[in-house]
Amino acid sequence: MRAIPAQGRSPVPHRTAVVLAVLLAVLAGLLSASSTVAADNTANTASRARAAAAGTFRNPLNTGPDPFMTHWNGSYYLTATQGDSIRMWRSPSLSTLLAADPVTVWKDSDPSRNRNIWAPEFYRFGDRWYLYYTADDGIDDHHRLYVLESDRDDPAGPYHFKAKLTPPNHADDFAIDAGILQHNGRLYLAYSGINQYQHNGLNIAPMSNPWTVSGNAVAFNPSGGCPEVREGPEFLYRNGRTWMTYSTCDTGKPDYQLWMMSLPATADPLVPGNWKQHQGPVFSRADGHGVYGPGHHAFFRSPDGTEDWIVHHAKTTSASTYSNRTTRAQKFTWKPDGTPDFGRPLALGATQNLPSGDPGSGNHWINDDGRSSGDGTVSYTGTWNTGTGCATQCFWSDDHWSDRAGNTATFTFTGTRIALLSVRDTGNGIAALSVDGGPEQRVDFYGSPRTGETLQYLSPRLPSGRHTLRMRVTGEHNAQSGASYVSVDRAEVYTD
């Protein structure tokens, strides 16, 4: 007896129905398995993206100029010119230096040397650290060189004042940018100061210990792209050769750049003719990457000692200005003839692999279009302008901007801290920022001249977890600005 078919349907024999049911069950299982595989693939892709992000970093490392850095005992230690004191940043990973809290390692009460404190550098000799710097009494030509000694075996001190560094033939002359040359078991003080070639010229003097100059300084006349400055000498050692790299041109110019000389292993460094001049700059502006005035640098090794890195300052504007100099780092290699190959300066915000042996931290970026290398996104209320006109000045060459009061951009992220980087401009105004619905903080996005990839805001440290940062356009601006735009470009999220 046949079952009466439902209205509008064809009758299905019992055996066929059973087979169809089995096929449908199999198909459902396949679809379920396919969905599980797809979900697993998505999770794996996200996991791989997070792992890749944990092994990368982006510049800047710091907002200051004249950087010096070393890796010691599991941490990076960084100093930069601060003006009124010497501060040091410490972090186990290069990727978290921007969010590290500084420690003030020196502040001087002596009025002859407590102003315009520049270019600190620190070296370990024995079980103590020696920190070299320049300072004055408020008059630039009164800059002199000084050295501190640590109380214990720690780059971050505490330190005590050790000595003034004065070559006998330049006992009371302008001097800045101390760098220590170690050659054939002896120490030498290299610095920029008055000589017959420049007001800021290169000089080298012998030392009997890390705090005592033991003889007259010898003047050098190295080549450079500009006539007025030779400063910031630093040293590399490899395969029996010593390399002296130095900055030329006024540091405010976009053409500030690095040049280089070399010295054989057995040669006397106090004989200028023993140094061989390398022709042409070895590290200079890269307009296509939006990098101007790269210089005042130092060298450091990766944590496992297998890679060579340069840390330097540079700007994102071609204007002549001493502002907007930020600390950046990138790896360099060596040419077949044994000379260092520094390559071209990388764009600010370019994603690089961390130095070999760097543990990373899991921090990640959020782009203004919502893309993220980790757990984060951004959403907008109101109408925002968007485009790619800022090119190398912006992360991924794009950004959002608005001057409409009340418009908001809200970052949602999982971590402990967030940093906002974007363009500063002469038409920018004031934003109001609040974390997790808390009180608003007013931040001025104005800047002159226009610069890109500038750190606008760094949040306080937050409990590890899910957070929001809301940016509200106020429609206000300061008296110097011509408009009230605020911009959204790149956010860096920290999870340490």
Side-chain angles (χ1 to χ4, degrees), residues 225-477:
C226 302
E228 70 272 17
V229 168
R230 307 287 184 268
E231 64 185 19
E234 294 294 332
F235 299 94
L236 277 172
Y237 312 93
R238 192 171 191 260
N239 295 337
R241 298 172 75 181
T242 295
W243 303 91
M244 178 171 65
T245 49
Y246 55 93
S247 301
T248 74
C249 300
D250 185 282
T251 190
K253 291 183 176 180
D255 289 316
Y256 194 62
Q257 58 192 245
L258 300 186
W259 285 59
M260 182 171 70
M261 305 176 81
S262 65
L263 179 75
T266 59
D268 183 351
L270 295 177
V271 177
N274 288 340
W275 291 86
K276 179 182 177 182
Q277 179 71 56
H278 180 98
Q279 295 304 316
V282 293
F283 201 61
S284 57
R285 62 187 286 174
D287 294 30
H289 292 169
V291 179
Y292 304 92
H296 203 113
H297 64 302
F299 304 110
F300 66 98
R301 305 297 299 276
S302 61
D304 66 4
T306 64
E307 296 174 347
D308 293 297
W309 286 71
I310 181 172
V311 60
H312 66 285
H313 76 230
K315 300 181 294 187
T316 58
T317 174
S318 60
S320 290
T321 175
Y322 297 106
S323 63
N324 185 238
R325 294 176 293 166
T326 58
T327 294
R328 302 118 184 264
Q330 63 186 73
K331 186 171 73 171
F332 70 90
T333 57
W334 297 84
K335 297 179 181 178
D337 66 358
T339 59
D341 184 358
F342 300 112
R344 300 183 68 210
L346 297 175
L348 196 62
T351 298
Q352 303 179 62
N353 290 329
L354 285 166
S356 183
D358 187 308
S361 66
N363 62 303
H364 56 274
W365 51 262
I366 304 172
N367 190 44
D368 64 283
D369 64 1
R371 286 178 290 173
S372 177
S373 61
D375 184 11
T377 189
V378 60
S379 60
Y380 300 90
T381 64
T383 302
W384 288 70
N385 302 293
T386 181
T388 58
C390 58
T392 57
Q393 287 195 314
C394 291
F395 190 57
W396 296 117
S397 300
D398 59 0
D399 67 342
H400 281 64
W401 66 96
S402 175
D403 64 348
R404 299 292 182 88
N407 281 2
T408 65
T410 302
F411 293 88
T412 303
F413 63 96
T414 299
T416 58
R417 208 166 197 184
I418 188 169
L420 300 184
L421 298 97
S422 64
V423 169
R424 281 191 182 162
D425 206 347
T426 56
N428 280 4
I430 296 169
L433 303 178
S434 61
V435 177
D436 296 334
E440 288 188 333
Q441 175 182 343
R442 292 167 65 85
V443 177
D444 195 345
F445 281 47
Y446 169 82
S448 179
R450 173 191 167 96
T451 57
E453 283 287 303
T454 303
L455 179 64
Q456 306 277 21
Y457 171 79
L458 179 62
S459 77
R461 294 194 178 276
L462 306 167
S464 181
R466 194 77 165 166
H467 300 283
T468 59
L469 170 65
R470 190 186 74 158
M471 173 192 297
R472 179 176 63 85
V473 181
T474 66
E476 301 168 345
H477 61 82

Side-chain angles (χ1 to χ4, degrees), residues 9 12 32 64 93 100 125 159-160 179 236 269 379 400 435 444 460-461 491:
R9 295 181 180 178
V12 180
S32 176
S93 175
F125 298 117
Y159 285 92
H160 59 269
L236 277 172
S379 60
H400 281 64
V435 177
D444 195 345
R461 294 194 178 276

Side-chain angles (χ1 to χ4, degrees), residues 72 122-130 153 182:
W72 183 77
F122 49 98
Y123 301 81
R124 186 173 185 256
F125 298 117
D127 61 354
R128 291 293 181 267
W129 291 81
Y130 294 87
D153 193 2
Q182 304 174 60

Side-chain angles (χ1 to χ4, degrees), residues 142-156:
H142 293 174
H143 266 108
R144 303 291 184 265
L145 297 176
Y146 304 96
V147 59
L148 311 174
E149 182 183 63
S150 68
D151 296 342
R152 58 179 184 235
D153 193 2
D154 187 341

